[in-house]
Amino acid sequence: MPRHVAIIMDGNGRWAKKNGVSRLAGHNQGMLAMKEIIKKADMMGIKYLTVYAFSTENWKRSQEEVGGIFNLLVKFVGSELAELDENNVKVHILGEYREKVPGAAVASIDRALETTADNDGLQFNIALNYGSRAEITRAVKRICHLTESGVIKSEEVTEEMIAMALYTGNDNGNIPDPDLIIRTSGEERLSNFLLWQAAYSEFAFTDTLWPDFTPEEFESIIEEFSTRGRRFGGRI
Ligand code: FPP
């Protein structure tokens, strides 16, 4: 069983086109799929689930679509927070969500973080205004501050320090690297997602468009993952 599964929820737009509805209706359907996967991951005993909800590059989309995605986040928190809390799910955000993100969405996020802060079940990480290069740049700056102020010497910088300075580090409870990264919709790339953390991750790609992704498919991907031999660069 993987401890940490990360998902690139891709294909909402294509699903919308295929079904003759607006892109926002596609994202809404994507949110519904996401809700089911959170429940399934929790039931399966997965400890960390991370979803790529909004990238630093997604700001290039129309204002209407961007605003619509954040409205969905508000809607998601409004309708799901009580149940997530009841199920002992702990919500975290990976990314600079206080920058650029509309106020109503920031308020919803803060509410979700505060409400679930003491929970110790599934940790649900939402990557929001997330970009891996921005994350690594931020980590480098943090470490430069330490060396400039004489707390450590540059020769003393370690991989662990870099990992701790990422969004997945100290700020969010030191999340282990993802064991498995799933991408839907037939695309096979990382798109600036968890570049550092994915060093030894397994990948699973499916042609299914995200809104059509079901808990059953999730489970079968996890089952297939559990048959893989992982050597982390060593020998068996
Ligand atoms: C990628 O599909 C999906 C996104 C950029 C947004 C993901 C958002 C959700 C699943 C909505 C709910 C999530 C939260 C946390 C509220 P795409 O639009 O790039 O699809 P395409 O490549 O087919 O156009």
Side-chain angles (χ1 to χ4, degrees), residues 25 28 49 55 129 169 227:
N28 188 58
L49 178 70
S55 75
N129 194 14
T227 65

Side-chain angles (χ1 to χ4, degrees), residues 129-194:
N129 194 14
Y130 175 89
S132 206
R133 288 181 174 179
E135 175 184 39
I136 293 169
T137 305
R138 173 177 167 271
V140 170
K141 284 183 187 160
R142 290 175 131 193
I143 290 168
C144 286
H145 283 306
L146 294 179
T147 56
E148 279 164 12
S149 56
V151 178
I152 52 165
K153 296 198 183 81
S154 56
E155 306 83 71
E156 291 167 350
V157 175
T158 62
E159 290 186 8
E160 287 72 25
M161 283 178 205
I162 296 171
M164 278 197 310
L166 299 172
Y167 298 129
T168 44
N170 272 348
D171 293 344
N172 288 298
N174 292 311
I175 302 166
D177 290 341
D179 301 292
L180 173 65
I181 298 178
I182 300 172
R183 184 168 188 153
T184 56
S185 88
E187 309 291 344
E188 301 189 353
R189 57 180 173 272
L190 263 181
S191 301
N192 205 14
F193 188 50
L194 304 176

